[in-house]
Amino acid sequence: MITIFSSLFGLACGSFSNVYFYRIPNKESLWIPASHCPRCNYPIPWYFNLPILSYLFLKGRCYSCKSKISISYSLNEFACLVLFMALAFKFRDLHPLAIGMLQIFSFLLYLAAGIDLVTYFKSGKEYGIIPDTLTLSLITFGLIFSFYNPLLSQNILKSILGGAVAYGFTLSIRILGEKILKKESLGLGDVKLVTGFGVWLGVRGMLHSIIIGSLIGCLVAAILLLLKKAHRTSPVPYGPFLVMGAFCWVFLFS
């Protein structure tokens, strides 16, 4: 039962992520209007809006204008499906409610990493944005679910302490970085994102997520520099690497 639920939940969340990544950067409502073709504005009925299946059935084309549909939509849905199934397998011995809770946490991280990347490329690689509504949702849900969070032994005090330490630590890095480097060294979106890590993963999990994410970020930056795809002062979105660090902690060390 949990396998079926996780697969359907993952596909549904993947479908929502497509809407989120498209509409938020364009400052559009997530709810109005309903799903439609961005080229001909054809309202997409539910039977043509089924994750992955509709793309295959329509052969990657809009039913109305026959314009090509990007495969990225289906890849997003598939990624969420894999993520949710992996969580269900990793925590298969836990109560289904706890698994669902961890899937919500992971999906919020997925949205944070994705929107940071989307806005980064949309801005011409100048900056990325993680909306407050997303990071505050991450923190709020973390506190609400702390009573049932297996990663923190169902201890709300660990959740509160983790969030407080995370916020103080990252805010200090941001302030010191600006004084030393004379420019923004850590975005406020990243500060709030890491605060969410602390609320969900506790102090230990949060610190390990930062370390792992930073190592991944340094590795990617080094590769880009070697390939001359970036230079030393190129802005790089930190959020996706932080999220990768958090996922590594959840799957490998929790």
Side-chain angles (χ1 to χ4, degrees):
M1 182 62 73
I2 189 62
T3 301
I4 296 174
F5 172 81
S6 294
S7 60
L8 294 177
F9 191 27
L11 288 171
C13 286
S15 181
F16 175 80
S17 72
N18 285 327
V19 177
Y20 191 86
F21 295 151
Y22 179 81
R23 296 195 182 192
I24 291 300
N26 293 318
K27 298 181 180 179
E28 297 179 15
S29 168
L30 289 174
W31 319 110
I32 301 173
S35 296
H36 58 279
C37 174
R39 293 180 177 82
C40 68
N41 290 321
Y42 169 70
I44 303 174
W46 67 268
Y47 46 85
F48 284 154
N49 207 19
L50 300 175
I52 300 178
L53 295 177
S54 293
Y55 180 86
L56 296 174
F57 177 76
L58 294 171
K59 299 179 180 179
R61 299 280 179 179
C62 171
Y63 177 77
S64 176
C65 67
K66 307 304 179 184
S67 60
K68 189 175 181 181
I69 300 172
S70 173
I71 196 174
S72 63
Y73 294 116
S74 289
L75 292 178
N76 252 333
E77 292 159 354
F78 182 71
C80 285
L81 170 63
V82 172
L83 175 61
F84 280 41
M85 293 297 289
L87 287 164
F89 178 78
K90 163 72 175 177
F91 298 101
R92 58 190 177 279
D93 295 329
L94 296 181
H95 190 280
L97 181 61
I99 295 175
M101 178 200 70
L102 293 173
Q103 288 170 338
I104 291 174
F105 165 60
S106 298
F107 181 57
L108 290 173
L109 294 189
Y110 182 84
L111 289 180
I115 198 65
D116 202 7
L117 279 175
V118 170
T119 52
Y120 171 71
F121 286 108
K122 191 175 179 62
S123 70
K125 299 182 180 180
E126 291 295 324
Y127 58 86
I129 296 174
I130 305 177
D132 285 346
T133 51
L134 193 55
T135 51
L136 294 179
S137 295
L138 181 68
I139 295 169
T140 302
F141 281 122
L143 291 172
I144 293 173
F145 290 139
S146 61
F147 294 102
Y148 206 67
N149 186 346
L151 301 178
L152 297 178
S153 303
Q154 297 87 36
N155 191 327
I156 189 174
L157 294 180
K158 288 184 178 180
S159 179
I160 295 173
L161 178 62
V165 171
Y167 183 75
F169 178 65
T170 50
L171 190 62
S172 297
I173 292 176
R174 172 182 165 84
I175 294 172
L176 288 174
E178 286 182 352
K179 289 184 178 296
I180 296 172
L181 302 175
K182 306 302 180 183
K183 64 178 182 179
E184 184 177 83
S185 58
L186 188 65
L188 279 175
D190 296 324
V191 171
K192 296 167 190 173
L193 178 63
V194 174
T195 301
F197 289 0
V199 171
W200 281 90
L201 306 177
V203 175
R204 187 163 172 259
M206 175 270 299
L207 290 175
H208 278 81
S209 297
I210 293 176
I211 293 171
I212 297 170
S214 298
L215 290 174
I216 296 173
C218 288
L219 177 61
V220 172
I223 293 173
L224 291 175
L225 287 172
L226 287 173
L227 296 175
K228 297 183 179 180
K229 298 295 183 180
H231 51 82
R232 290 177 57 192
T233 58
S234 296
V236 177
Y238 193 27
F241 301 117
L242 289 171
V243 169
M244 282 190 273
F247 280 148
C248 285
W249 170 257
V250 170
F251 281 105
L252 301 178
F253 304 107
S254 62

